[in-house]
Amino acid sequence: MASTLLFHEKTPTPKEILEHCLRIITALKDKLHDTKDALSLEYLYRYFNLFNQLSDLVEKYDFITDLKSLLGLYRELLSSETLDFQGEPLEGLQVMGMLESRNLDFETVIITSVNEGILPSGKSNNSFIPFDLKVQLGLPTFKEKDAVYTYHFYRLLQRAKNIYILYNTEPDVLEGGERSRLINQLLTDENRSSIINESVASPIISPKQHVLESIEKDSSLLELIKAHALKGFSPTSLSNYVRNPIDFYKRNLLGIDDVLEVEETIAANTFGTIVHDTLEDLYTPFIGSILTEEKLVDAKTNVAELVKKTLC
């Protein structure tokens, strides 16, 4: 059952692949119902809605005829999907936005991402109306929005007994890693600064000592080098020896290649390997003989078969 859902005998059409995805979701739903995993079921429900939306679009628009177009549309719709956390209002942990906390009092408050540019959000250029024109006409600007969020911030802290304010100090993360001006206001307030405790949380980094790897050049290794020398050294193997002798030992002498990875498109080095191996198989029968036009024309008919053999 699982193999028929995941694998196809031939390349499916966008409509067929969407039908298969909906069947997989239905099968997963039956499995998750037994485990009572509410979060996974919510994820699955969102994917169910997404694939139903894609099915409607494929039915409505006839230009979605290949899987590449379908994949681009899927990623575009998936990036706009959100998952809301809903809990019991009177007990447990409440995850909510700043505006959802209006007129509510909590004994313990944890505010995350209190970085400048996030809380308050600051200046945003999402309007064609210039700032000066907004001020002249009395239209709301980002200053009014910042004032609203500042009010909700202090209102949330008003009756709380335990307050945890978190911000990220890493550069280039969350608007540059600068803490919010609201935190600086609390630290400069004489009535509050004495009861504020600051701490920095960071992961423990244990240095890793790299031991220089060496291999004794015994008689067996010398035999491997001589055997490889009889076949000839390629430019790639020689540069590999200069750059990383251990890698040369493992790959060129022992024949231990890296783990094969599935490539969506043919990389340049993979394409070069296919060309070299095909040309070698194509011209090997002509060693020791004189090339003629008839031989080359006959060999040309075997190119497709040799390329398939090299790919396999």
Side-chain angles (χ1 to χ4, degrees):
M1 176 64 180
S3 60
T4 57
L5 288 177
L6 296 176
F7 303 103
H8 313 276
E9 294 182 358
K10 60 179 181 178
T11 303
T13 63
K15 184 177 180 180
E16 290 173 348
I17 197 68
L18 290 174
E19 291 175 354
H20 278 288
C21 290
L22 289 172
R23 291 175 192 168
I24 293 173
I25 291 175
T26 303
L28 290 174
K29 182 190 71 173
D30 298 335
K31 295 290 184 181
L32 291 174
H33 266 303
D34 299 334
T35 61
K36 297 181 180 180
D37 190 346
L39 182 60
S40 297
L41 284 171
E42 185 67 24
Y43 280 129
L44 204 61
Y45 175 71
R46 297 287 177 173
Y47 276 108
F48 178 75
N49 290 338
L50 175 61
F51 283 112
N52 275 326
Q53 185 179 359
L54 286 171
S55 299
D56 294 338
L57 292 174
V58 170
E59 289 286 345
K60 184 176 181 181
Y61 302 104
D62 55 359
F63 59 83
I64 308 176
T65 57
D66 58 303
L67 297 182
K68 187 176 181 180
S69 302
L70 180 65
L71 179 61
L73 185 60
Y74 164 77
R75 288 175 174 172
E76 184 71 23
L77 293 176
L78 184 64
S79 63
S80 61
E81 281 290 330
T82 58
L83 183 64
D84 299 327
F85 289 94
Q86 299 178 354
E88 179 60 39
L90 300 179
E91 62 180 18
L93 178 67
Q94 304 299 314
V95 181
M96 58 181 62
M98 185 63 70
L99 297 180
E100 294 176 278
S101 64
R102 290 175 293 181
N103 299 326
L104 297 177
D105 295 328
F106 300 95
E107 183 176 340
T108 300
V109 173
I110 302 174
I111 308 178
T112 62
S113 302
V114 189
N115 286 77
E116 190 65 29
I118 297 179
L119 184 65
S121 60
K123 183 179 179 180
S124 58
N125 298 319
N126 57 354
S127 174
F128 291 107
I129 304 175
F131 176 79
D132 295 336
L133 186 58
K134 285 184 176 182
V135 174
Q136 184 67 28
L137 298 178
L139 298 175
T141 64
F142 69 90
K143 291 187 176 181
E144 284 76 17
K145 183 180 178 181
D146 286 357
V148 169
Y149 275 87
T150 302
Y151 167 76
H152 289 307
F153 176 80
Y154 282 106
R155 170 63 186 80
L156 186 60
L157 306 184
Q158 186 176 7
R159 292 186 175 88
K161 296 180 181 179
N162 304 306
I163 302 171
Y164 301 90
I165 301 176
L166 312 178
Y167 66 94
N168 199 317
T169 59
E170 288 295 317
D172 300 327
V173 177
L174 296 178
E175 303 294 335
E178 181 184 357
R179 67 185 180 189
S180 172
R181 73 191 80 163
L182 301 177
I183 298 179
N184 294 329
Q185 291 174 4
L186 293 174
L187 293 175
T188 55
D189 190 342
E190 297 180 355
N191 298 326
R192 295 190 179 96
S193 60
S194 59
I195 59 175
I196 296 177
N197 297 321
E198 293 186 75
S199 62
V200 178
S202 59
I204 299 176
I205 301 175
S206 56
K208 184 178 180 180
Q209 296 181 352
H210 294 278
V211 181
L212 184 62
E213 188 177 359
S214 62
I215 298 172
E216 183 181 355
K217 191 179 294 184
D218 54 11
S219 59
S220 60
L221 179 55
L222 289 174
E223 291 296 328
L224 284 176
I225 296 175
K226 291 177 182 179
H228 189 72
L230 292 175
K231 298 178 182 177
F233 293 99
S234 65
T236 304
S237 64
L238 291 176
S239 61
N240 193 24
Y241 175 76
V242 174
R243 185 179 65 253
N244 188 349
I246 299 297
D247 191 29
F248 171 82
Y249 169 73
K250 293 179 179 179
R251 296 182 60 182
N252 299 98
L253 297 183
L254 298 183
I256 303 175
D257 292 328
D258 296 333
V259 178
L260 296 177
E261 296 181 359
V262 178
E263 300 174 351
E264 293 184 4
T265 57
I266 300 178
N269 57 344
T270 305
F271 184 77
T273 302
I274 295 172
V275 172
H276 289 163
D277 293 345
T278 303
L279 289 175
E280 182 180 0
D281 294 339
L282 191 65
Y283 285 105
T284 297
F286 301 143
I287 295 177
S289 63
I290 299 175
L291 283 177
T292 62
E293 182 180 354
E294 291 77 9
K295 291 182 179 180
L296 292 176
V297 171
D298 292 339
K300 188 177 179 180
T301 59
N302 300 326
V303 171
E305 183 181 351
L306 291 175
V307 170
K308 291 181 179 179
K309 178 183 176 183
T310 305
L311 290 174
C312 296

